[in-house]
Amino acid sequence: MNRILICSSERDECEFLKEELEDFGKVVKIVESLDFFISQWESTSSINTIVFTEYIVKNTSSFEKLIKQVEASNPEVQIVFLHFREIDEFMRSLSDLGIICISYIDLTPGLILTKLQTEAKKDTDSKISLITTEEPQCAVNDSSEEAILHTRNEPEPSNIYMEHVVSVEERPEIRDVYQEKDSVKASEKLLRSIIDKVKELKKVLEVKNNKSKFKIDDLNYDSLLQKRKKVRDRLIGTIIIAITGVEKGVGCTHTSLLIANYLAKQKFSVALIEANESNEYKEIEASYEGVDSELLSTTSFYIDGVHFFKNQNNIDVIPLLSGEYAYIVLDLGNYVVTESYTEFLRANVQIVVGSSRDWKHHKIDEFIDSQIYLNQSNWRICLALADKQDVKDLRKKWNRRQLYTIPYFPDPFDSSDIIEDSLESMLKINQQHRLSLLRRKMLNAFQ
């Protein structure tokens, strides 16, 4: 069990970090100031993870000395630094010391956990590598073979990142690499290269947007037709949730409806986009209105606080971002068929829907292997109707994957405590909301 120390004077931030790291270890101490950090840290035994926030750093040079003192006395400790500042000399020096630096702007639920697990895996692999070099030649060959298999099926995030940057010119529609950069080990030269690539990518996207048939004028923002409900404060920016399936018929639309209605019940403004050509939303509207679907000519409609957009394949979400939506849910359908798969790669939350049946697991394997060059650390694999034992077995098979299940629930417009708990576990909506409020507070403090 990892033992964690948090250095923050903000109660909301401490609560968020506790929830964030509950699967990684136990928070055994919270320090509100660095004035007496060393004495408090040494009084707590077996601390192996420390989380610092920029808010409590009063002097950068003193903070660097403190970090060096901690690493000198305990080189095994993992240190995370949450910051608002841009990459400067201070940030580069922390990176050189091996500190995991994460910007509040890039921070999403699950990111700190993923970074810590990745660094722990690297340390373990390096130790194994040192041990195997002293073994007989045959043992070395066996270890190398395992390493090759591991690289093919589960590449380290740093390798994914490097390959992703190199392939931007060949794949202009791949998601914004600047958002996926790993600032921990990025050199100044690499950062400048990334910025140049981002500028090129933005030009490509601007040209693509100008040619898009999906115009903002086509959207129905006539809120006067709807009885307005009181909604929760909007998060900083609009969160895009993209749902795609590894094959046809695994339940993408059903999952999308569950998620959109759950968000609406949480008092958020939600847009649900049918980013495929199934035309099922037309039938949903017809069933809701009690009319023949052939009589409907609308492009969008409302049901219980969710704004549905029908049949918007090859969607361009940029016009939607100007609307007052806290969440945009993209129902992409089968990833092989949809023309909007690029939006899945750009989305804040990426959900992959697959079957829980044993004989269908190979479809998920094929989906993962077909995009092994991408950063898959944020993918959330969702299995409908899987029992606890299935999930337990699959977590062993798909190590370091975020795996979730949704119980049987035939009516996606209804609700229950069980289904809400499952969706909250997968989406971490309340955690996202707390993080958004925290960002606002920290932004005000640093402005």
Side-chain angles (χ1 to χ4, degrees), residues 32-90:
E32 297 181 356
S33 170
L34 295 180
D35 295 339
F36 304 101
F37 168 79
I38 292 296
S39 59
Q40 295 184 64
W41 172 57
E42 291 178 343
S43 67
T44 308
S45 61
S46 303
I47 294 290
N48 55 10
T49 305
I50 305 176
V51 181
F52 292 101
T53 65
E54 186 176 358
Y55 192 73
I56 64 171
V57 176
K58 307 302 181 184
N59 183 286
T60 55
S61 59
S62 298
F63 183 70
E64 283 188 58
K65 292 179 181 178
L66 183 146
I67 294 294
K68 291 177 181 177
Q69 185 176 348
V70 170
E71 290 196 323
S73 59
N74 190 352
E76 301 297 326
V77 69
Q78 285 185 293
I79 301 177
V80 177
F81 181 63
L82 304 179
H83 64 91
F84 262 118
R85 68 176 63 222
E86 299 294 333
I87 302 299
D88 55 12
E89 198 62 37
F90 170 64

Side-chain angles (χ1 to χ4, degrees), residues 244 246 250-251 255 258 351-358 360-365 380-395 397-398 402-408 419 422 426:
T244 192
V246 297
V250 291
T255 303
L258 282 171
I351 298 175
V352 180
V353 182
S355 174
S356 62
R357 301 293 175 248
D358 293 346
K360 292 285 189 177
H361 291 169
H362 70 282
K363 290 292 184 180
I364 301 177
D365 292 330
R380 305 177 192 188
I381 300 176
C382 177
L383 303 176
L385 310 180
D387 57 33
K388 292 183 179 179
Q389 188 59 45
D390 288 336
V391 174
K392 185 176 180 181
D393 295 340
L394 290 172
R395 278 186 176 140
K397 176 181 179 182
W398 294 319
Q402 299 184 62
L403 190 62
Y404 303 92
T405 182
I406 294 181
Y408 177 71
I419 199 68
S422 297
M426 179 169 63

Side-chain angles (χ1 to χ4, degrees), residues 286-302:
S287 176
Y288 179 74
E289 297 292 345
V291 299
D292 192 299
S293 61
E294 299 301 323
L295 301 176
L296 297 171
S297 59
T298 57
T299 59
S300 70
F301 58 96
Y302 289 88

Side-chain angles (χ1 to χ4, degrees), residues 229-235 239 259-271 304-307 324-327 424 428-434 436:
K229 298 182 180 180
K230 185 177 180 180
V231 297
R232 293 172 70 174
D233 290 338
R234 185 181 177 187
L235 307 180
I239 303 297
I259 289 173
N261 284 289
Y262 170 69
L263 293 171
K265 287 180 174 64
Q266 298 297 309
K267 306 302 181 184
F268 289 111
S269 55
V270 185
D304 294 337
V306 178
H307 193 176
E324 291 301 317
Y325 299 114
Y327 287 89
E424 175 59 31
K428 297 179 173 60
I429 297 303
N430 291 316
Q431 204 170 339
Q432 280 276 16
H433 192 65
R434 183 181 287 116
S436 179

